[in-house]
């Protein structure tokens, strides 16, 4: 068999195919070239200049970081300034000087005090009260009717005097008399018209009895009948009806019942006027429940229309003495504090002290009275004055400012923010708290 030459080339045991032929991997002719940046325009420095050094560009991140730090520092500084101005304030806490006292003092007050003296004001009232009670007795009553008239003078321009008890007569012949002497002005002429002179007077019936209780009426003057012209031109007219005339038995109350009723009315009147005085004394005014005088006057009783009840009426004339709390506090301090300098003080509880009026020693223009009980005298601090004195002062100067005010016993100050050492430049930024002193 002829020899296959190709087979001799293939190693034994292995048959080769075209797929087994290795591909010739030629080297890339670009692989050994140095990569050049696409956008670099920097020129290569000459090789012969050994002294040339390439400058390194600053990094972007480093610049941004420094800017942020600067902005942050400035912001913090601005914030500190804003906080300092907005929250810049001071609080000053003051404890006033005080002294507890148990007093038993005799004081004198004047209705017209001079500077430094204790004064008082007067609060006066007139009140009436009535009560209707069942009649329990009977008595003979004889009263005369009374009323008001207006008397006219059309006789002459000269005035005319009428003496007490001058009579005035009604058309029906009832006679009434004036109670006091009077003078009637003369007539005048106004705008060509004659105007009679006139005057008002009270008249009383010449006799008791119900027949004198009349309505409005005209009157003449019987005493002028001898002069007819004078008689015609002096006349009167009623201003009110004539009432109160009576003669005969009427139901009434016994003396014991009258006294009992008036006692009840007096108590009601007293309670009422005391309540009014208490309501009047508000704010810094003081009314002591015993600081008053009162007078009771009986008003004539009258039978009710049904004649079975009697109306009892009582009148009270009341005078209360009102004090000013600052003034009476200072008067107490003068009597109890050694070397008192006249400072403004408040005697706490002075309005509740026991008051006793000395009627024998008092007069129309002055009162002598006793005050007794426990009180605490507290010196008053002018907060606005203190805040004004502390403006722009260093905190260390607080003691010096306080030392000039004898009313202050103790002081403390807090300034905000904490790094500030001076008080704010305006009084509205300085708050003054006055604490209540211990008893």
């Amino acid at each position: 068999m002829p020899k296959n030459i190709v087979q001799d080339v293939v190693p034994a045991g292995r048959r080769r195919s075209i797929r087994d032929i290795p591909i010739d991997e030629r080297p890339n002719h670009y692989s050994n070239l140095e990569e050049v940046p696409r956008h670099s325009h920097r020129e290569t420095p000459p090789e012969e200049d050994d002294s040339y050094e390439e400058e390194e560009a600053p990094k972007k991140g480093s610049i941004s970081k420094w800017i942020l730090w600067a902005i942050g520092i400035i912001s913090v500084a601005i914030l500190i300034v804003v906080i300092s101005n907005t929250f810049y304030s001071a609080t000053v806490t003051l404890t006033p000087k005080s002294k507890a006292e148990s007093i038993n003092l005799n004081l004198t007050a004047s209705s017209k005090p001079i500077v430094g003296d204790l004064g008082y004001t007067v609060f006066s009232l007139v009140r009436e009260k009535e009560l209707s009670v069942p009649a329990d007795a009977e008595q003979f009553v004889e009263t005369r009717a009374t009323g008001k008239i207006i008397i006219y003078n059309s006789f002459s321009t000269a005035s005319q005097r009428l003496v007490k008890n001058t009579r005035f007569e009604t058309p029906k012949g009832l006679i009434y008399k004036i109670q006091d002497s009077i003078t009637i002005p003369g007539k005048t002429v106004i705008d060509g018209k004659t105007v009679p002179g006139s005057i008002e007077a009270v008249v009383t019936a010449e006799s008791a009895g119900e027949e004198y209780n009349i309505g409005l009426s005209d009157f003449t003057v019987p005493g002028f009948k001898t002069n007819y012209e004078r008689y015609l031109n002096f006349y009167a007219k009623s201003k009110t009806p004539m009432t109160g005339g009576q003669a005969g038995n009427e139901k009434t109350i016994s003396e014991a019942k009258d006294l009992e009723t008036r006692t009840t009315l007096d108590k009601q009147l007293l309670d009422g006027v005391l309540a009014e005085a208490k309501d009047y004394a508000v704010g810094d005014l003081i009314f002591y429940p015993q600081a008053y005088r009162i007078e009771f006057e009986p008003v004539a009783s009258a039978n009710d229309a049904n004649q079975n009840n009697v109306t009892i009426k009582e009148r009270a004339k009341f005078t209360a003495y009102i004090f000013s709390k600052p003034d009476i506090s200072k008067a107490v301090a003068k009597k109890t504090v050694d070397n008192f300098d006249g400072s403004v003080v408040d005697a706490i509880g002075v309005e509740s002290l026991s008051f006793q009026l000395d009627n024998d020693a008092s007069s129309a223009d002055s009162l002598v009275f006793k005050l007794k009980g426990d009180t605490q005298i507290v010196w008053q601090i002018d907060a606005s004055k203190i805040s004004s004195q502390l403006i722009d002062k260093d905190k260390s100067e607080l003691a010096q400012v306080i030392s000039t005010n004898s009313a202050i016993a103790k002081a403390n100050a807090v300034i905000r923010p904490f790094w500030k050492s001076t008080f704010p430049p305006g009084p509205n930024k300085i708050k003054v708290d006055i604490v209540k002193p211990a008893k």
Side-chain angles (χ1 to χ4, degrees):
M1 176 182 242
K3 187 177 180 180
N4 191 341
I5 298 173
V6 178
Q7 288 179 346
D8 294 338
V9 179
V10 178
R14 182 180 178 188
R15 294 182 66 109
R16 300 185 66 183
S17 162
I18 191 167
R19 296 178 181 175
D20 295 325
I21 299 174
I23 299 174
D24 184 14
E25 297 180 0
R26 296 183 181 180
N28 189 335
H29 64 278
Y30 293 107
S31 62
N32 292 326
L33 295 177
E34 183 178 351
E35 185 176 356
V36 179
R38 291 182 181 182
H39 302 292
S40 175
H41 299 287
R42 188 184 306 160
E43 295 181 359
T44 305
E47 293 180 0
E48 64 273 9
D49 188 358
D50 294 336
S51 64
Y52 177 85
E53 291 184 4
E54 183 177 348
E55 292 182 4
E56 185 178 352
K59 294 181 181 180
K60 231 175 188 181
S62 298
I63 295 174
S64 300
K65 190 178 295 183
W66 282 108
I67 292 174
L68 289 174
W69 272 104
I71 293 173
I73 292 172
I74 294 172
S75 298
V76 171
I78 293 174
L79 183 61
I80 290 174
V81 172
V82 171
I83 290 175
S84 297
N85 292 333
T86 304
F87 298 100
Y88 191 14
S89 64
T91 300
V92 182
T93 304
L94 304 176
T95 302
K97 180 181 175 183
S98 65
K99 183 181 181 183
E101 292 286 350
S102 182
I103 64 171
N104 187 1
L105 302 175
N106 291 315
L107 297 173
T108 300
S110 173
S111 61
K112 300 176 182 178
I114 61 175
V115 177
D117 286 348
L118 177 61
Y120 67 90
T121 57
V122 173
F123 177 68
S124 298
L125 294 171
V126 176
R127 295 289 182 265
E128 292 185 353
K129 208 166 187 65
E130 62 183 34
L131 191 60
S132 179
V133 295
D136 63 350
E138 191 174 90
Q139 65 179 2
F140 180 79
V141 176
E142 190 175 51
T143 58
R144 299 183 184 190
T146 61
K148 293 180 179 179
I149 62 173
I150 299 176
I151 308 169
Y152 296 93
N153 175 8
S154 290
F155 177 70
S156 71
T157 56
S159 59
Q160 174 70 54
R161 184 172 183 271
L162 300 180
V163 299
K164 180 181 178 180
N165 291 327
T166 296
R167 297 177 301 156
F168 288 83
E169 184 178 17
T170 69
K172 293 185 177 181
L174 297 175
I175 299 297
Y176 298 84
K177 298 177 181 180
I178 58 174
Q179 298 177 346
D180 300 294
S181 298
I182 59 172
T183 299
I184 313 170
K187 66 181 179 178
T188 57
V189 177
I190 301 176
D191 296 332
K193 184 178 180 180
T194 300
V195 178
S198 63
I199 191 171
E200 183 179 302
V202 175
V203 293
T204 303
E206 68 173 354
S207 301
E210 293 183 1
E211 67 270 23
Y212 286 89
N213 298 331
I214 62 173
L216 301 182
S217 176
D218 293 331
F219 297 85
T220 57
V221 183
F224 290 155
K225 283 184 177 181
T226 55
N227 184 331
Y228 187 71
E229 186 177 355
R230 184 185 293 270
Y231 176 74
L232 288 178
N233 290 287
F234 279 99
Y235 56 91
K237 293 180 179 293
S238 296
K239 184 176 181 180
T240 66
M242 303 295 157
T243 59
Q246 185 178 354
N249 291 330
E250 70 173 9
K251 291 184 178 179
T252 186
I253 58 174
S254 61
E255 290 185 7
K257 187 69 174 179
D258 182 77
L259 178 60
E260 179 186 349
T261 304
R262 294 191 183 279
T263 301
T264 300
L265 290 173
D266 290 348
K267 184 180 183 308
Q268 292 176 356
L269 284 167
L270 178 59
D271 291 344
V273 293
L274 287 177
E276 288 191 60
K278 184 178 179 181
D279 291 341
Y280 173 82
V282 295
D284 284 337
L285 298 180
I286 297 176
F287 168 63
Y288 293 102
Q290 296 79 27
Y292 70 89
R293 289 191 176 99
I294 191 168
E295 295 179 5
F296 297 105
E297 295 179 352
V299 181
S301 59
N303 286 68
D304 293 350
N306 59 16
Q307 297 293 314
N308 293 321
N309 291 330
V310 177
T311 298
I312 305 298
K313 184 180 292 186
E314 194 81 343
R315 180 183 295 120
K317 294 181 179 179
F318 175 79
T319 301
Y321 306 109
I322 309 296
F323 298 90
S324 162
K325 186 176 182 181
D327 290 347
I328 206 163
S329 295
K330 186 176 287 188
V332 171
K334 282 183 179 180
K335 290 276 190 176
T336 57
V337 178
D338 294 337
N339 301 317
F340 180 66
D341 60 1
S343 298
V344 179
V345 296
D346 178 22
I348 297 175
V350 70
E351 66 276 5
S352 301
L353 295 176
S354 171
F355 179 98
Q356 183 178 350
L357 183 64
D358 188 340
N359 287 306
D360 294 333
S362 299
S363 65
D365 297 323
S366 66
L367 297 176
V368 178
F369 59 94
K370 179 176 289 186
L371 280 183
K372 184 177 181 181
D374 296 328
T375 184
Q376 183 181 21
I377 301 172
V378 179
W379 276 249
Q380 299 300 288
I381 300 173
D382 187 342
S384 61
K385 179 180 178 182
I386 297 298
S387 61
S388 297
Q389 289 177 332
L390 291 174
I391 292 173
D392 287 329
K393 290 284 196 305
D394 191 88
K395 189 176 181 180
S396 61
E397 297 180 78
L398 174 63
Q400 180 182 352
V401 172
I402 298 306
S403 65
T404 62
N405 194 317
S406 61
I408 300 174
K410 187 168 61 174
N412 183 46
V414 176
I415 301 177
R416 299 180 182 84
F418 65 88
W419 58 81
K420 293 284 189 180
S421 61
T422 59
F423 287 93
N428 58 322
K429 291 283 188 177
I430 303 175
K431 180 184 178 183
V432 177
D433 288 335
I434 301 174
V435 301
K436 184 178 180 181
K439 292 185 178 181

